[in-house]
Amino acid sequence: MSATAIAQTTEKTHIWLNELASQLEWEDPDLVFRALRTVLHQLRDRLPINESAQLASQLPMLVRGMYYENWDPQPHPRRIDAEMFAEHVAAAFPGDYTIDPNHVIRSVFAVIAQHVAAGEVEDVKLCLPDEYLAFWD
């Protein structure tokens, strides 16, 4: 990997994190990173393996590494309702932080929709229960 590739993926990752920080109106970069990581992991575990890999291929290289961190691919995606999805996101934040997990999910999904091809976003949506569509608005 060249130094140019590292610089480019670092820059793209910072763009994603800065856009997410703006969406969330948060200033703490560690919390913004945690939000992105947590939502991506929850999303990853709800998608079929092929769709998960297709989404990952469109993520910046550093974000893709985070996406695959600790992944245990299952032949069938884990199914939970949207409320449980939000509860999993909320659980990733220490008790000192009060977050709105629905806002966090919508914000991460908005950044994904901004940077991932529209067709891929639609494919992801089709793999999720209809109740998850509210997160994409």
Side-chain angles (χ1 to χ4, degrees), residues 54-97:
Q54 289 172 17
L55 173 61
S57 72
Q58 295 196 26
L59 303 176
M61 190 182 324
L62 288 176
V63 176
R64 188 177 323 132
M66 175 179 42
Y67 180 81
Y68 281 124
E69 179 185 17
N70 298 321
W71 189 34
D72 179 19
Q74 301 293 316
H76 302 288
R78 296 180 185 123
R79 296 288 180 200
I80 61 172
D81 62 25
E83 183 177 334
M84 184 74 84
F85 188 101
E87 288 174 11
H88 280 74
V89 170
F93 290 84
D96 295 346
Y97 298 99

Side-chain angles (χ1 to χ4, degrees), residues 16-113:
W16 279 53
L17 291 170
N18 289 338
E19 287 180 13
L20 183 56
S22 178
Q23 287 270 344
L24 292 169
E25 299 179 350
W26 291 359
E27 294 183 19
D28 185 333
D30 292 334
L31 288 180
V32 174
F33 180 85
R34 183 180 303 176
L36 180 61
R37 180 179 177 272
T38 300
V39 173
L40 284 176
H41 283 185
Q42 290 301 313
L43 179 60
R44 172 199 72 193
D45 293 344
R46 307 297 168 261
L47 296 174
I49 292 172
N50 288 343
E51 191 57 46
S52 185
Q54 289 172 17
L55 173 61
S57 72
Q58 295 196 26
L59 303 176
M61 190 182 324
L62 288 176
V63 176
R64 188 177 323 132
M66 175 179 42
Y67 180 81
Y68 281 124
E69 179 185 17
N70 298 321
W71 189 34
D72 179 19
Q74 301 293 316
H76 302 288
R78 296 180 185 123
R79 296 288 180 200
I80 61 172
D81 62 25
E83 183 177 334
M84 184 74 84
F85 188 101
E87 288 174 11
H88 280 74
V89 170
F93 290 84
D96 295 346
Y97 298 99
T98 303
I99 65 153
D100 175 355
N102 294 318
H103 178 61
V104 171
I105 296 164
R106 282 191 303 273
S107 296
V108 171
F109 283 7
V111 171
I112 291 170

